[in-house]
Amino acid sequence: MGGSENSKAMVVNRLADSIRDISGLPECQNVCKRMYGNLIRRVKLLSPLFEELKDSDESLCDQQLQAFESLRVALDLAITLLKSVNQGSKLYQALRRNEIADKFQQITEKIEAALSEISYNKLQISEEVQEQIELVHAQFKRAKAQTEFADLQLELDIAVAQKEKDPDPAILKRLSEKLHLRTINDLKKESSELHELVITSDGELGDSFETVSSLLRKLKDCVLTENPEVDTYESEKLSIRHRSPVIPDDFRCPISLELMKDPVIVSTGQTYERSCIQKWLDAGHRTCPKTQQTLLHTALTPNYVLKSLIGLWCESNGVELPKKQGNCRTKKSGSSHSDCDRTAIKALLDKLTSNDIEQQRAAAGELRLLAKRNADNRVCIAEAGAIPLLVELLSSADPRTQEHAVTALLNLSINESNKGSIVNAGAIPDIVDVLKNGSMEARENAAATLFSLSVLDENKVAIGAAGAIPALIKLLCEGTPRGKKDAATAIFNLCIYQGNKARAVKAGIVVSLIRFMKDAGGGMVDEALAIMAILASHHEGRISISQAEPIPVLVEVIRTGSPRNRENAAAVLWSVCTGDLMQLKLAKEHGAEEALQGLSENGTDRAKRKAGSILELLQRMEGEDGLQNS
């Protein structure tokens, strides 16, 4: 008996300690707050059971001990998860929110499974404690059966903040609130956490690094503009910020996100602040933090061109020149210049104007690769005068040259100032021509270029007027999977402008969108619904959608789709049913009421509002029918 008693005391004490550890964890201040808080709250409620068992003389059978041991293992895993999500970069946590939600779900299932093995009625515990534990068990069972609902507003805000160069300040404000990055000090800490993450991740961040860096830059600019309470030093920096534009992205170190003082190039062609990349190398890494490519060597080449550009920018904007970090003109090993070799670029431009088709093709291909490689090259190539020459080659009779030219322009357009230069060079009609008549790869890259250019609102009008939309719809229908995605993204962006909605509707897009929505395995349901939702806000769009018999597929998506698709389907259904009794009756016949009821209970906030509005329309219709029949 003594061994059994010891086993019982040990496992009960350890469980009580684990619950106490979890109960004492600090409040979570990131996107995991709700999941984190729910798990801690439920675990806390288990405390009375083990406190009472500690004082009990009752021995436990092997089955009970095994169940308690399973619970202890699950709680240890819970502690590890809870601690891991409440530290580190908040933006990185936000990008991993679905992965983290899955982990919380797995822990919940493990705890519920362990609780299912405990026979509470066989334990010597008070009735009150037994009732409480059974209640907690019921809560875990319910939590196991339903996943955490996605925060759609957060997903949309992150998506927009990622995609747009200057997102709506309201979106950035919501993100700063949701992520608890409200002040300069919050953002300083986040920047430090991100820096640490880069150093310790061993190059495993992938695309997340670029995304987090970009989001953090935009949040910093937003918080500085909001002018929160900051200390004197920050106020001085803020006054400079108000007198000058935001630091161009290409001038910031990808690791620290600060204006570079001593920019250096690594073997992959990427540029970093010397002290930051040196720290990365000193930590034993042999990959490029931004691209994850293996470094051929660890020599750091000063980027004099970029340093000069930063100096000019600082002078013209009244910003104090960055202090020199010692003597930067140390002896170089490896390459003596960056990819941005002006002489080499000039030689390529001479070949572009050559009458030799082979030379033209080779030069356009070389510029395409250089423009893809890094931001410095994109600046240098544009400054050398390549854009008008590449625009001329868009009408080349050689398909491969045309393909290289449009892709080079796509890569150059990543730089915001190049977007204007490309449009000013008269590129839009020629890009649209490539979109209509080029090879499939050229058409896809032409669509991606139009999307890139359409980020600027004034270009949306010009691109629509040049006849791009029918050609994009054609690519949407017959392109490769990647081509369809490029076309859909461009169409969505262009249709933010009201006049382009009418163009898309007249070009017959709605029938194609309905077809995509019906083909769940085709991989285009998300895009089709997003475009459909934006067209439904236009009078002609609404009429065209109504004529395409959308009700059955919309109801099916509301019943079974992803949170975002259910929301978009409800928005479209609301548009077509408002003021159209026939569509409303069709919706009722296809079981919309039940699907909407479910959506109103577990959809996103916007989806719940739309579902509620349609349910009101259905109830009003039933009321009117009742009056007519009485």
Side-chain angles (χ1 to χ4, degrees):
M1 280 296 282
S4 175
E5 281 302 315
N6 288 340
S7 298
K8 175 216 165 183
M10 189 184 296
V11 76
V12 167
N13 284 334
R14 287 183 69 178
L15 277 164
D17 290 344
S18 294
I19 292 168
R20 202 174 302 116
D21 289 346
I22 289 173
S23 303
L25 289 173
E27 188 183 355
C28 182
Q29 297 290 349
N30 61 35
V31 289
C32 304
K33 184 174 183 174
R34 184 178 166 196
M35 296 181 287
Y36 180 100
N38 283 345
L39 182 56
I40 288 179
R41 177 178 51 77
R42 291 175 192 134
V43 169
K44 268 184 184 178
L45 294 171
L46 294 171
S47 181
L49 170 63
F50 298 103
E51 293 302 326
E52 199 160 296
L53 283 174
K54 275 165 72 174
D55 298 333
S56 158
D57 297 330
E58 177 194 12
S59 59
L60 300 174
C61 67
D62 288 346
Q63 186 186 352
Q64 295 281 47
L65 280 172
Q66 197 173 339
F68 282 171
E69 182 59 25
S70 298
L71 181 59
R72 185 193 64 74
V73 170
L75 291 182
D76 283 351
L77 290 171
I79 290 173
T80 304
L81 175 62
L82 289 163
K83 285 180 177 176
S84 73
V85 301
N86 201 17
Q87 59 192 16
S89 164
K90 293 177 178 179
L91 281 165
Y92 186 58
Q93 299 281 23
L95 289 185
R96 295 174 59 240
R97 59 198 176 279
N98 293 332
E99 181 189 327
I100 292 169
D102 288 342
K103 289 181 179 177
F104 271 98
Q105 192 67 13
Q106 289 162 15
I107 295 291
T108 298
E109 287 171 8
K110 286 182 188 296
I111 294 174
E112 193 280 326
L115 291 174
S116 295
E117 297 299 315
I118 300 170
S119 305
Y120 311 117
N121 54 355
K122 292 181 181 175
L123 297 172
Q124 288 181 5
I125 52 175
S126 65
E127 206 172 301
E128 184 184 342
V129 168
Q130 184 173 334
E131 282 178 6
Q132 179 168 326
I133 299 305
E134 286 174 347
L135 183 67
V136 179
H137 186 189
Q139 287 181 9
F140 272 105
K141 197 176 287 186
R142 205 160 46 243
K144 182 187 80 167
Q146 60 180 44
T147 53
E148 287 281 343
F149 298 121
D151 185 337
L152 193 80
Q153 185 66 62
L154 176 68
E155 287 189 14
L156 289 173
D157 286 346
I158 287 178
V160 172
Q162 276 179 250
K163 190 168 73 171
E164 294 186 4
K165 179 177 181 283
D166 294 309
D168 184 338
I171 289 173
L172 294 174
K173 188 86 171 74
R174 275 200 303 270
L175 279 177
S176 74
E177 288 294 324
K178 181 80 73 172
L179 302 176
H180 299 270
L181 295 172
R182 302 183 182 99
T183 66
I184 294 299
N185 285 337
D186 291 339
L187 288 160
K188 272 185 178 176
K189 187 179 178 191
E190 175 67 13
S191 190
S192 171
E193 293 285 7
L194 178 59
H195 194 172
E196 195 58 36
L197 182 65
V198 170
I199 300 300
T200 58
S201 70
D202 203 18
E204 292 174 3
L205 294 184
D207 295 338
S208 302
F209 170 68
E210 191 73 20
T211 303
V212 173
S213 299
S214 172
L215 287 172
L216 183 54
R217 282 196 295 268
K218 289 166 184 174
L219 284 171
K220 272 184 175 179
D221 294 337
C222 175
V223 170
L224 280 166
T225 306
E226 286 282 318
N227 195 6
E229 291 181 8
V230 290
D231 58 30
T232 311
Y233 171 67
E234 292 298 342
S235 297
E236 287 170 9
K237 280 175 45 175
L238 187 59
S239 66
I240 291 171
R241 181 63 62 106
H242 279 311
R243 290 199 306 272
S244 64
V246 171
I247 298 168
D249 287 351
D250 294 340
F251 295 175
R252 297 179 192 256
C253 170
I255 296 175
S256 70
L257 308 180
E258 300 299 334
L259 185 67
M260 285 188 274
K261 304 172 181 66
D262 188 5
V264 292
I265 304 163
V266 296
S267 67
T268 59
Q270 298 295 330
T271 296
Y272 299 92
E273 174 61 37
R274 183 185 291 276
S275 61
C276 294
I277 192 65
Q278 193 61 59
K279 184 175 178 184
W280 167 265
L281 295 172
D282 290 347
H285 300 301
R286 289 298 175 267
T287 55
C288 172
K290 196 169 180 180
T291 66
Q292 278 79 59
Q293 291 173 279
T294 302
L295 295 171
L296 300 176
H297 55 77
T298 57
L300 302 176
T301 307
N303 191 334
Y304 296 123
V305 173
L306 185 62
K307 189 166 186 175
S308 170
L309 290 171
I310 291 172
L312 288 171
W313 180 86
C314 288
E315 283 176 8
S316 63
N317 289 287
V319 175
E320 187 181 349
L321 282 163
K323 300 264 192 311
K324 286 183 180 178
Q325 302 289 301
N327 180 17
C328 65
R329 289 190 175 272
T330 51
K331 188 178 178 184
K332 306 187 282 288
S333 58
S335 173
S336 61
H337 55 75
S338 78
D339 284 334
C340 187
D341 184 324
R342 290 175 186 277
T343 308
I345 288 171
K346 187 176 184 310
L348 290 173
L349 299 197
D350 290 341
K351 288 180 181 178
L352 285 187
T353 56
S354 159
N355 292 325
D356 185 330
I357 291 175
E358 295 286 334
Q359 284 201 352
Q360 279 188 343
R361 186 191 305 132
E366 186 75 17
L367 287 167
R368 167 185 180 170
L369 293 173
L370 283 172
K372 183 180 181 181
R373 197 166 296 162
N374 61 44
D376 306 336
N377 291 351
R378 291 190 276 276
V379 172
C380 291
I381 291 167
E383 285 181 350
I387 288 173
L389 301 178
L390 289 166
V391 169
E392 279 183 37
L393 289 183
L394 290 174
S395 49
S396 168
D398 178 54
R400 192 71 178 141
T401 303
Q402 186 185 65
E403 193 180 292
H404 286 328
V406 77
T407 312
L409 289 169
L410 167 63
N411 294 336
L412 288 170
S413 75
I414 295 168
N415 178 293
E416 293 303 314
S417 60
N418 286 349
K419 285 180 169 60
S421 304
I422 292 167
V423 174
N424 292 339
I428 288 175
D430 290 322
I431 296 170
V432 171
D433 195 54
V434 174
L435 179 65
K436 289 175 179 174
N437 305 309
S439 67
M440 184 53 76
E441 186 176 344
R443 289 170 67 193
E444 289 172 357
N445 288 338
T449 309
L450 291 175
F451 163 68
S452 177
L453 297 176
S454 71
V455 169
L456 302 177
D457 285 341
E458 61 268 26
N459 292 345
K460 291 180 174 68
V461 182
I463 293 168
I469 288 174
L472 286 168
I473 293 170
K474 194 164 186 283
L475 181 62
L476 181 69
C477 296
E478 61 186 35
T480 65
R482 197 200 84 178
K484 288 179 177 180
K485 298 273 184 191
D486 285 335
T489 314
I491 291 166
F492 178 86
N493 218 38
L494 289 169
C495 285
I496 292 169
Y497 168 61
Q498 195 77 350
N500 286 336
K501 292 177 187 174
R503 290 189 173 104
V505 171
K506 282 174 186 163
I509 192 172
V510 170
V511 173
S512 300
L513 296 178
I514 295 283
R515 191 173 70 250
F516 284 134
M517 285 162 60
K518 288 178 178 175
D519 180 15
M524 291 295 292
V525 177
D526 298 5
E527 290 82 358
L529 270 163
I531 297 169
M532 185 85 83
I534 208 168
L535 294 177
S537 64
H538 188 273
H539 175 65
E540 289 176 35
R542 192 160 52 249
I543 292 170
S544 182
I545 293 167
S546 298
Q547 291 169 347
E549 301 180 359
I551 301 294
V553 67
L554 288 173
V555 173
E556 183 58 27
V557 172
I558 290 169
R559 190 181 290 118
T560 62
S562 68
R564 185 176 299 179
N565 286 349
R566 293 174 81 199
E567 179 184 312
N568 280 331
V572 176
L573 186 64
W574 178 81
S575 290
V576 298
C577 286
T578 302
D580 192 328
L581 196 59
M582 187 188 298
Q583 297 292 342
L584 203 54
K585 285 181 176 174
L586 276 172
K588 182 174 171 56
E589 287 169 17
H590 283 89
E593 209 158 356
E594 184 189 347
L596 290 163
Q597 200 64 54
L599 188 61
S600 68
E601 290 167 7
N602 59 26
T604 65
D605 289 344
R606 179 169 173 251
K608 285 176 180 177
R609 289 197 301 274
K610 293 294 181 189
S613 300
I614 305 168
L615 286 168
E616 279 180 29
L617 292 174
L618 287 166
Q619 285 161 9
R620 203 178 304 149
M621 180 183 73
E622 287 170 8
E624 287 169 3
D625 286 348
L627 285 172
Q628 287 171 6
N629 295 332
S630 60

